């Protein structure tokens, strides 16, 4: 059993995998993420995504921002299920984000990427219930988009830190 554990430990050290947040809160990735400033994002979806991003990024340490995160959103609702009388019974809410990580000192775009997700919404007889479901879908999509953006920025920061070594 001990030989198997030793063999597995040796096999995983050579695989090239490293923890993303190596070094914890004082590591290179966490330190870089704490110096990202989120630029204002227009609209209700922008408000939700902006708050979700700020929740996921480590707290600013009082140091000036090294990067500015600029996000443009595309929020749409498309009718899917249509009855014979042309009433919609199902909708798809789609939220797409194009984001750029900009070096605050030089203005150079160091990361340009997209994130997106969609959610299904049942259209029911109650207009209030349908609007509430659409809003809940938007809130959930905002969280998903923020997760994707922060993960991608963390991967970029990890690669940049590894290259700098």
């Amino acid at each position: 059993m001990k030989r198997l554990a030793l063999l597995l430990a040796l096999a995983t050290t050579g695989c090239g995998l490293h923890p993303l947040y190596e070094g914890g809160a004082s590591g290179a990735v966490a330190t870089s993420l704490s110096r990202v400033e989120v630029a204002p994002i227009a609209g209700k979806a922008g408000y939700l995504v902006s708050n979700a991003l700020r929740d996921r990024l480590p707290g600013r340490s009082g140091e000036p921002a090294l990067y500015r995160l600029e996000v443009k959103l595309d929020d749409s609702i498309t009718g899917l299920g249509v009855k014979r009388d042309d009433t919609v019974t199902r909708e798809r809410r789609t939220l797409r984000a194009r984001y750029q990580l900009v070096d605050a000192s030089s203005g150079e775009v160091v990361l340009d990427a997209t994130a997106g997700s969609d959610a299904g919404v049942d259209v029911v007889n109650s207009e209030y219930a349908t609007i509430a479901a659409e809003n809940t879908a938007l809130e959930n999509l905002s969280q998903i988009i923020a997760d994707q953006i922060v993960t991608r920025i963390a991967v970029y920061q990890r690669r940049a830190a590894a290259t700098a070594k």
Side-chain angles (χ1 to χ4, degrees), residues 67-123:
Y67 301 98
R68 182 178 66 255
L69 179 61
E70 298 177 355
V71 181
K72 293 185 176 105
L73 297 174
D74 178 27
D75 179 24
S76 65
I77 299 177
T78 307
L80 293 177
V82 181
K83 292 182 181 178
R84 288 186 181 153
D85 62 354
D86 287 334
T87 57
V88 174
T89 60
R90 186 95 173 135
E91 296 175 335
R92 179 185 330 186
R93 184 157 205 162
T94 304
L95 186 61
R96 301 279 180 252
R98 175 159 187 237
Y99 59 96
Q100 296 179 323
L101 189 63
V102 180
D103 187 309
S105 61
S106 68
E108 176 189 0
V109 176
V110 295
L111 177 64
D112 188 353
T114 60
S117 191
D118 59 356
V121 176
D122 286 328
V123 177

Side-chain angles (χ1 to χ4, degrees), residues 28-157:
V29 173
T31 303
S32 295
L33 287 176
S34 70
R35 299 192 64 192
V36 173
E37 174 186 29
V38 180
I41 309 169
K44 179 180 181 178
Y47 169 77
L48 292 170
V49 170
S50 179
N51 282 342
L53 285 167
R54 287 186 182 96
D55 288 344
R56 283 156 179 74
L57 292 170
R60 300 277 305 274
S61 59
E63 298 180 34
L66 292 177
Y67 301 98
R68 182 178 66 255
L69 179 61
E70 298 177 355
V71 181
K72 293 185 176 105
L73 297 174
D74 178 27
D75 179 24
S76 65
I77 299 177
T78 307
L80 293 177
V82 181
K83 292 182 181 178
R84 288 186 181 153
D85 62 354
D86 287 334
T87 57
V88 174
T89 60
R90 186 95 173 135
E91 296 175 335
R92 179 185 330 186
R93 184 157 205 162
T94 304
L95 186 61
R96 301 279 180 252
R98 175 159 187 237
Y99 59 96
Q100 296 179 323
L101 189 63
V102 180
D103 187 309
S105 61
S106 68
E108 176 189 0
V109 176
V110 295
L111 177 64
D112 188 353
T114 60
S117 191
D118 59 356
V121 176
D122 286 328
V123 177
V124 294
N125 290 336
S126 168
E127 189 173 328
Y128 174 78
T130 301
I131 291 170
E134 290 172 352
N135 287 334
T136 300
L138 180 59
E139 291 169 8
N140 293 338
L141 292 173
S142 298
Q143 301 291 323
I144 293 168
I145 295 289
D147 284 338
Q148 291 175 5
I149 291 172
V150 171
T151 300
R152 180 65 179 95
I153 292 172
V155 169
Y156 166 77
Q157 296 293 351

